[in-house]
Amino acid sequence: MKSVTVELPNVDVQRKLFTTRFKADKTSHLSIRDVDVCRECKDKPCLWFCPAEVYKWEDERITIAFEGCLECGTCRIGCPFDNIDWRYPRGGFGVQYKFG
Ligand code: SF4
Ligand code: SF4
């Protein structure tokens, strides 16, 4: 069988994210429902699946840098314990996509 070599594009995600602009609200549109559930969550996948690295594990709890949320919705389904309360930012706030 003939082998095929596919060259993947070299994409620098951090550089692309740098071009995104946000209008941050004062209050977060994301929250953790039960902090104790996070302590028991062994793998903490939210630290990995968020493309904007919004979730961090600091001082025995998850912190949320909601200002950088891209509103992709991954954390709505990615938390194995449905422990993230997710909603869109209020109208006029959040990510400002160039093409709508
Ligand atoms: Fe908490 Fe869900 Fe993150 Fe686990 S994946 S640490 S339960 S928010
Ligand atoms: Fe991260 Fe997407 Fe969830 Fe925003 S919606 S916190 S970008 S995974």
Side-chain angles (χ1 to χ4, degrees):
M1 184 188 253
K2 201 172 161 187
S3 68
V4 179
T5 305
V6 178
E7 199 165 312
L8 296 173
N10 188 10
V11 178
D12 185 337
V13 174
Q14 292 303 325
R15 205 165 158 188
K16 285 196 177 290
L17 286 175
F18 188 69
T19 64
T20 310
R21 294 288 173 263
F22 302 90
K23 186 175 178 191
D25 203 348
K26 288 188 193 113
T27 54
S28 177
H29 61 287
L30 308 165
S31 63
I32 298 295
R33 293 195 168 111
D34 185 340
V35 292
D36 290 333
V37 171
C38 293
R39 287 194 189 100
E40 298 297 318
C41 177
K42 190 168 160 275
D43 297 326
K44 299 180 178 39
C46 61
L47 304 182
W48 307 104
F49 60 57
C50 174
E53 298 180 5
V54 163
Y55 299 99
K56 294 258 191 298
W57 181 249
E58 296 171 327
D59 299 327
E60 294 297 303
R61 67 187 183 96
I62 292 288
T63 60
I64 307 174
F66 70 93
E67 300 89 342
C69 172
L70 297 164
E71 299 165 36
C72 69
T74 303
C75 54
R76 298 182 85 174
I77 57 170
C79 174
F81 300 103
D82 192 23
N83 199 30
I84 297 171
D85 188 15
W86 191 100
R87 58 197 73 207
Y88 281 109
R90 289 189 303 152
F93 292 98
V95 68
Q96 311 286 300
Y97 288 109
K98 190 173 178 184
F99 299 109

